[in-house]
Amino acid sequence: QVQLVESGGGLVQTGGSLRLSCAASGRTLDSYMGWFRQAPGKERAIVTHIRWSDGSIYYADSVKGRFIISRDNAKNTVYLQMNSLKPEDTAVYYCAASNGGGQFIYWGRGTQVTVSS
């Protein structure tokens, strides 16, 4: 089992920045860690993920150039630096970790990010 604890959400104005953190514990991470988000009335969607072995990264088109995922291997922690935030970025952000097959099966409880216009 992997336990994930997120922190860093909050309220910010349009154009502002926030940094989310996700600390993982419980077992060695297998494959990917990532961030998803779910806005009211919408399905949960991938924002970004990073492969633990080589650091390769994926970003959803909607956040490219604004969000940066990074990791601290020693701390089993991933970060999401969110810049130039827009009201449409408002959502609950979830940290997730995958199994060895790349399926995201471990989830944090989520942290609210609200961007005011």
Side-chain angles (χ1 to χ4, degrees):
Q1 283 286 355
V2 175
Q3 292 79 43
L4 304 172
V5 178
E6 304 113 332
S7 61
L11 173 65
V12 65
Q13 291 185 333
T14 297
S17 298
L18 282 175
R19 188 192 195 209
L20 307 182
S21 299
C22 175
S25 63
R27 58 168 288 177
T28 302
L29 294 169
D30 281 318
S31 189
Y32 295 87
M33 281 191 73
W35 292 93
F36 290 70
R37 66 186 181 186
Q38 187 167 18
K42 295 188 177 181
E43 294 186 355
R44 191 174 299 187
I46 182 71
V47 175
T48 178
H49 61 63
I50 185 167
R51 188 157 60 190
W52 211 250
S53 60
D54 62 5
S56 63
I57 291 171
Y58 164 84
Y59 291 106
D61 287 344
S62 58
V63 305
K64 280 181 182 176
R66 300 188 299 122
F67 289 12
I68 301 171
I69 189 171
S70 61
R71 62 179 178 168
D72 184 330
N73 290 30
K75 295 181 180 179
N76 269 2
T77 298
V78 289
Y79 305 94
L80 182 63
Q81 178 67 41
M82 303 185 293
N83 302 317
S84 301
L85 283 161
K86 306 174 182 180
E88 51 263 44
D89 294 317
T90 295
V92 177
Y93 284 71
Y94 296 91
C95 178
S98 77
N99 58 14
Q103 292 177 303
F104 286 96
I105 61 171
Y106 304 107
W107 296 88
R109 297 181 68 177
T111 185
Q112 177 70 45
V113 171
T114 302
V115 184
S116 64
S117 57

